[in-house]
Amino acid sequence: NEAVRFLAAYPGVTEVMVADLNLKAAQALAQEVGGPTRACPVNALDHQGLVETIRGYDVALGFIGPFLYFERRQAQAAIDAGVHYVSIADDYEAAREALALDEAARAAGVAVLTGLGNCPGMTNLLAKKGAQTMDQPRRIHISWFGGADDASGYANYRHAIHIFCDRVPSF
């Protein structure tokens, strides 16, 4: 939601499309944000439909989870549509699958950026910025915690445990 609000208020942005399987939810967000925000239905399991939905935009943002199942699909659709792609995926397996598309993305002239949520993502960028202020950084330790207002439920708890079970590709 915050990304939609930010983009809708950004100077020069002429349209922000909220695409969701749940059209009513997409329409509610688009109406709440207003401005250049629109809504349309999309089924991420329909590759050609996803490609057609994002074709013509400057960038597609990926927020569809579980990332293990949808990240590669979204990245591939962006490559096929010729649209840059940024996601908040925080699943190491999903990141590896998206990174495996690097050659295809480069050939299509498309940037595919995976893992740009909170952690990994913003924490990594802030760690890099901090390291760049030091003469010889030796080690960076990133800690992550959830707040009381974070989403809860079995799927979120299972996902959190899963993402801590291996190393996340970081650059």
Side-chain angles (χ1 to χ4, degrees), residues 105-142:
R106 289 176 189 267
V110 171
V112 173
L113 302 174
T114 187
L116 287 178
N118 289 325
C119 184
M122 293 305 299
T123 53
N124 299 42
L125 295 174
L126 292 171
K128 180 179 180 178
K129 184 165 180 62
Q132 288 174 331
T133 67
M134 302 172 160
D135 290 333
Q136 294 182 331
R138 294 178 309 205
R139 183 176 175 188
I140 297 173
H141 179 83
I142 298 172

Side-chain angles (χ1 to χ4, degrees), residues 156-171:
N156 285 326
Y157 297 136
R158 183 174 176 180
H159 174 71
I161 291 169
H162 173 76
I163 63 175
F164 296 133
C165 292
D166 201 349
R167 294 187 176 270
V168 175
S170 298
F171 300 92

Side-chain angles (χ1 to χ4, degrees), residues 88-114:
I88 63 166
D90 61 353
D91 185 311
Y92 58 87
E93 291 163 306
R96 287 181 188 136
E97 287 193 6
L99 292 170
L101 298 173
D102 184 62
E103 189 175 312
R106 289 176 189 267
V110 171
V112 173
L113 302 174
T114 187

Side-chain angles (χ1 to χ4, degrees), residues 26-148:
Q27 289 171 328
L29 178 59
Q31 184 176 11
E32 179 186 329
V33 172
T37 311
R38 309 283 176 266
C40 76
V42 68
N43 182 342
L45 297 176
D46 172 8
H47 178 75
Q48 197 54 42
L50 185 55
V51 169
E52 293 307 318
T53 298
I54 64 176
R55 182 172 276 137
Y57 286 92
D58 295 320
V59 66
L61 304 181
F63 291 84
I64 302 172
F67 301 118
L68 178 58
Y69 192 67
F70 288 104
E71 181 65 1
R72 184 180 180 104
R73 292 172 188 265
Q74 293 178 97
Q76 186 64 62
I79 293 167
D80 292 348
V83 174
H84 301 298
Y85 176 73
V86 179
S87 83
I88 63 166
D90 61 353
D91 185 311
Y92 58 87
E93 291 163 306
R96 287 181 188 136
E97 287 193 6
L99 292 170
L101 298 173
D102 184 62
E103 189 175 312
R106 289 176 189 267
V110 171
V112 173
L113 302 174
T114 187
L116 287 178
N118 289 325
C119 184
M122 293 305 299
T123 53
N124 299 42
L125 295 174
L126 292 171
K128 180 179 180 178
K129 184 165 180 62
Q132 288 174 331
T133 67
M134 302 172 160
D135 290 333
Q136 294 182 331
R138 294 178 309 205
R139 183 176 175 188
I140 297 173
H141 179 83
I142 298 172
S143 296
W144 179 88
F145 69 94

